Amino acid sequence: MKMCALVHHSLFATRLALIWLVAIALCSSVGCQPAAPIPVVAGPTGEPTPPPPPPKDEDEKAAQALADDAQRLETAGDKAGAEKKRDALADTYPGTAAGARVLRTRAEIADQLGDVERAVQLYERLLFNRPSFDGADNVRERYATLLLSLERFADAAAMLRALYDAAKPAADQGRLGFLLTQALVGAAREREALFLFVELAGSNLPVEMKNRASTQALELVSQALPFKDAEGIWNETQSKDSWSFLLPALAYKLAKIYYHTRDYDRSETMLKLVASRFGDSPYGAPARDFLTRLKARFKVDPFTVGIVLPLSGKYQQYGERALKAIKLSLASQPTLKWVIKDTGGEPGAAAKAVEELVLDANAIAIIGPLFSSEAQAAALKAEELSVPIITL
């Protein structure tokens, strides 16, 4: 008989750390099914402590005797004495059935009281010392959920991946799958999360779960997927049917990335692809509009100058004075055409004004705005569009 083992550990653990230590199961003619990972106590040097051997029969008997003593003391009203017996039981025989019951009960109480750190520590001791018991997977799932709340995303992902891979009912796969995607995104492993979303969307889950997976996959592509992942995933999946619902968003994402990195030729290529191949998708019309504006950015009217000032709001008087000064100083240039935009003193409005002046008015340069917050937003947008700007 063969045994499967999977080992993963962290050299930087200074506290209880979740690792892939041992995944063991008996092999049949079908293959070898790994068990869930085991949380492990890190030693003084940070190295993982080896898991303890299974308890002996005499350990089980001694542990049960301590548990019986604790129960008698509690029945007699000596709660403090009972807790001391249980302390001894959990410390001396944590891998026995009686010791595991104490650890689980205490972990669940801490969990109910909102003491997440203590609950996690107790669950770790329980799963480390006695990885197999009735309801162990339920405990593992709860433990992983608490790890998410502590933002220990890599640890949670390791535990949830094993639970998800071993899950059989569709409901369990869906629930565990969404928890796992949360952990993966938190651990900055967006690529893995996206592939899992696509897997969930194409599975035999209930329709509402599949729709949820599709929606969250689209959100991940639009909001959080890094450039290095977006380009690689596109090259890998653009011909896969299972990814068809994501390809328009992915292609449009790449078009915007190429644009912001000033790779205008590749941006134009991707926009044309979206407009033609995915023209009926929600990204078709924005791609066509973006393509028009992309071409417009290269059109420059050498006699058009944009002016961006706060001509309304609390800074209106300053904007109006600045506008009068600009007009007075350049009165001797009658061939210039002024296109004036009001920012209202808002950074977002300032950035939008710069974009409109470049893409719609084809301004050769921009003057303004006045104050630091809106000036920074306007300058960033001007840099993106490669237009000179003189902030005031």
Side-chain angles (χ1 to χ4, degrees):
M1 298 171 66
K2 298 180 180 179
M3 304 180 72
C4 290
L6 182 60
V7 179
H8 170 74
H9 64 86
S10 170
L11 297 177
F12 305 103
T14 56
R15 58 179 179 173
L16 295 177
L18 176 71
I19 66 169
W20 286 95
L21 181 63
V22 180
I24 300 174
L26 296 178
C27 290
S28 64
S29 58
V30 177
C32 193
Q33 177 65 41
I38 304 171
V40 66
V41 178
T45 63
E47 292 294 327
T49 301
K56 299 176 181 179
D57 289 344
E58 53 265 32
D59 294 332
E60 292 284 1
K61 292 177 182 178
Q64 187 57 51
L66 281 172
D68 293 340
D69 288 345
Q71 186 59 51
R72 281 192 293 270
L73 289 170
E74 186 164 339
T75 302
D78 187 359
K79 292 186 177 181
E83 284 304 297
K84 286 183 179 180
K85 288 287 185 180
R86 293 187 179 111
D87 288 341
L89 170 56
D91 291 340
T92 309
Y93 304 109
T96 63
R101 284 195 297 271
V102 171
L103 290 171
R104 183 172 183 177
T105 299
R106 290 180 170 182
E108 290 172 347
I109 291 173
D111 193 355
Q112 292 168 4
L113 294 175
D115 191 347
V116 177
E117 289 277 4
R118 176 164 171 75
V120 164
Q121 291 172 2
L122 289 166
Y123 280 135
E124 283 178 338
R125 287 185 61 197
L126 169 62
L127 294 170
F128 172 71
N129 286 287
R130 194 175 179 88
S132 298
F133 56 90
D134 288 342
D137 281 348
N138 292 333
V139 169
R140 288 188 175 94
E141 182 178 345
R142 181 56 191 165
Y143 166 63
T145 303
L146 293 178
L147 290 176
L148 288 175
S149 70
L150 294 177
E151 298 186 356
R152 288 175 56 183
F153 297 115
D155 294 347
M159 180 67 73
L160 289 166
R161 169 57 74 181
L163 292 173
Y164 172 76
D165 289 345
K168 297 300 181 184
D172 289 346
Q173 289 180 334
R175 184 183 68 257
L176 292 167
F178 285 112
L179 285 173
L180 177 54
T181 57
Q182 182 182 344
L184 291 171
V185 172
R189 290 155 60 182
E190 293 88 356
R191 174 187 169 87
E192 293 177 60
L194 190 60
F195 273 82
L196 181 54
F197 276 133
V198 173
E199 181 180 316
L200 293 170
S203 67
N204 60 349
L205 292 175
V207 174
E208 61 273 15
M209 281 190 171
K210 295 170 70 171
N211 291 341
R212 177 184 169 191
S214 299
T215 299
Q216 293 188 8
L218 287 167
E219 291 176 354
L220 179 57
V221 168
S222 300
Q223 299 173 13
L225 189 66
F227 168 61
K228 62 179 178 63
D229 290 336
E231 189 172 47
I233 290 172
W234 168 259
N235 292 333
E236 184 178 343
T237 65
Q238 58 178 301
S239 60
K240 293 184 178 180
D241 291 340
S242 59
W243 285 73
S244 58
F245 74 98
L246 263 187
L247 293 179
L250 196 55
Y252 189 62
K253 168 95 170 185
L254 280 173
K256 292 194 294 182
I257 290 173
Y258 292 142
Y259 177 82
H260 287 297
T261 56
R262 301 186 181 183
D263 191 344
Y264 301 120
D265 289 341
R266 296 179 77 182
S267 179
E268 182 177 354
T269 298
M270 293 305 296
L271 289 171
K272 287 180 177 178
L273 185 147
V274 176
S276 58
R277 180 178 170 185
F278 308 118
D280 294 333
S281 75
Y283 300 90
R288 288 187 287 271
D289 180 62
F290 196 163
L291 187 59
T292 299
R293 293 162 74 86
L294 176 63
K295 293 178 178 178
R297 76 175 301 281
F298 297 107
K299 297 178 181 178
V300 177
D301 183 345
F303 299 103
T304 298
V305 176
I307 298 177
V308 181
L309 293 170
L311 301 175
S312 63
K314 60 182 179 180
Y315 301 123
Q316 179 178 351
Q317 59 177 321
Y318 303 105
E320 290 177 346
R321 290 177 186 175
L323 181 59
K324 289 179 181 179
I326 291 170
K327 288 183 175 181
L328 180 62
S329 65
L330 298 176
S332 61
Q333 302 293 330
T335 57
L336 292 180
K337 174 186 175 183
W338 304 103
V339 181
I340 302 167
K341 295 288 184 179
D342 175 21
T343 69
E346 297 295 330
K352 183 179 180 182
V354 170
E355 185 174 62
E356 291 174 349
L357 287 168
V358 174
L359 300 180
D360 299 334
N362 306 127
I364 193 171
I366 295 171
I367 299 174
L370 279 174
F371 300 101
S372 60
S373 60
E374 56 175 352
Q376 182 178 14
L380 289 172
K381 180 59 68 173
E383 181 181 12
E384 175 187 316
L385 297 171
S386 302
V387 61
I389 185 170
I390 302 172
T391 61
L392 303 176

